Amino acid sequence: KSGLDPGGAWHAWGMACLKAGNLSSAREKFNRCLKPPMDLNQLNHGSRLVQDVIQYLESTVKPILIADDDYFATLKELEATLRTRSLSLEVMCEGKIQHNSYYQECLFYLHSYGTNLAIISFYMRHDCMREALLHLLNKESPSEVFIEGIFIPSYESGKLHMLENLLETIDPGLESWGVYLIAACKYLQRKNYYHILYELQQFMKDHVRAAMTCIRFFTHGAKSYTELGGKQTWLLKIKDHLKVYLQEVSRSSGRKKVTFTFRKKMSATDVSRHINTVDLQMEVTKFLHRCESSGTSQMTGSSLPTLFGNNNMKMDVACKVMLEGKNIEEGFGIAFRVLQDFQLEATEVYSKVAKQLVKQQQYSEIRQLLKCVNESGVAAKNDGDNIILNCLNEFKNIPAEDLDNLIQDMDSDENKIQAYVMCNKLRSAYLVSVRQEKTRAVQLVQHVRQLAETSGDDVVKAICAQWL
């Protein structure tokens, strides 16, 4: 008469029936106020009213088996119980859940008015993980429901192995779980739970991704190559994963059927290249670890470069290897292989090393570097000269004797003249200029005279004028 919503009254009446143990009347009353959710896959446990019913039923579990309860049960109740059982995929847990009428009542309300997440969470709460997984598969629920309802509760309660065993039992190839497992990996990565991630990737036999996680374990948080020296077992694990992957690829290449759709794929060429990278990183690690231990290491940088980074980082590795040995020659071989394997810009790296040596005032080592570069067999004609010119560009204060030695080591007279001009040694530039072929010598001497005039060097200006 007053036009009020009767839902609240029906709900209260239903709860009263439940508390009185009259389950069939409660169903009838709740039927008038409870509605199934619009979207069964929404990430919540359904309406508050349904949750209240389930909460009450779970807290009032009566340890009476259906066999004893038959005496009290009406035919209608028995029929409802049977109907509920068929709703729950015809697979029930062994033990109390199967036999207790209050649990059956929970399932009735969950299947009638609850979300998939609520049903799955109910099974998980009562140690029915298999039923939770089968429900997820049957309803083709999205991966968020799997993560929220099954995966998080499993690893939080230390039941990850149990979950893995069940996934494998239900589908030995794991194909039907692919989308869920990938989603779980992404979730763990977002949370930075790398140890659980690695464990899961090994279970999935996703060797390429497992190798990538091992790279992270090797590089993450290390401040020195002494630390990396102690983490070399991860490098061995990377190699193991990649080798197993190669074996699996070669085994399956004979079969026509393409399997393992959710595992990361990589060409055999790429895998072999990565294995070479790991081998080279092992050499680099051993070498730099030894240098740091013996105290020859001088470089200190904010980040620690490894061969698993981008090209700039790989170039930093090559520089570090050359600069941290007893002398340039000791690390040049490994550095040269790094430059060759990754096709890096060698001259840029050599120039970087030379500049560092100037800073450290190790001028004889620069000459050693030039010798190594020339003997490497792949240096272009002017590589050595360009390394020196790059140094002079940046450092004007190299001691005179060392400067002369470096410039005299240059191959091309043109480059020597350029170097003398850069260092304002115009007399030396003039002396090299006059040794050139007549026409070119005239051009060069005119240029030196012009520079002498600009800088107010009357002596060199007069010499040039006299020669011209």
Side-chain angles (χ1 to χ4, degrees), residues 238 242 266 269-279 308:
I238 298 168
L242 295 176
M266 193 178 274
T269 322
D270 282 348
V271 174
S272 301
R273 208 178 64 244
H274 286 305
I275 290 174
N276 288 340
T277 302
V278 174
D279 285 336
F308 300 118

Side-chain angles (χ1 to χ4, degrees), residues 228-285:
L228 286 184
K231 295 168 91 175
Q232 286 185 77
T233 47
W234 288 114
L235 293 176
L236 295 170
K237 284 184 180 177
I238 298 168
K239 270 183 77 170
D240 289 343
H241 283 301
L242 295 176
K243 281 177 177 172
V244 171
Y245 177 78
L246 272 184
Q247 286 165 5
E248 285 182 359
V249 168
S250 63
R251 271 206 303 271
S252 62
S253 60
R255 306 177 204 140
K256 282 191 177 174
K257 191 181 174 226
V258 179
T259 50
F260 310 145
T261 46
F262 62 91
R263 296 177 179 90
K264 190 169 177 63
K265 291 182 176 55
M266 193 178 274
S267 72
T269 322
D270 282 348
V271 174
S272 301
R273 208 178 64 244
H274 286 305
I275 290 174
N276 288 340
T277 302
V278 174
D279 285 336
L280 199 48
Q281 180 62 53
M282 282 178 114
E283 271 194 67
V284 167
T285 307

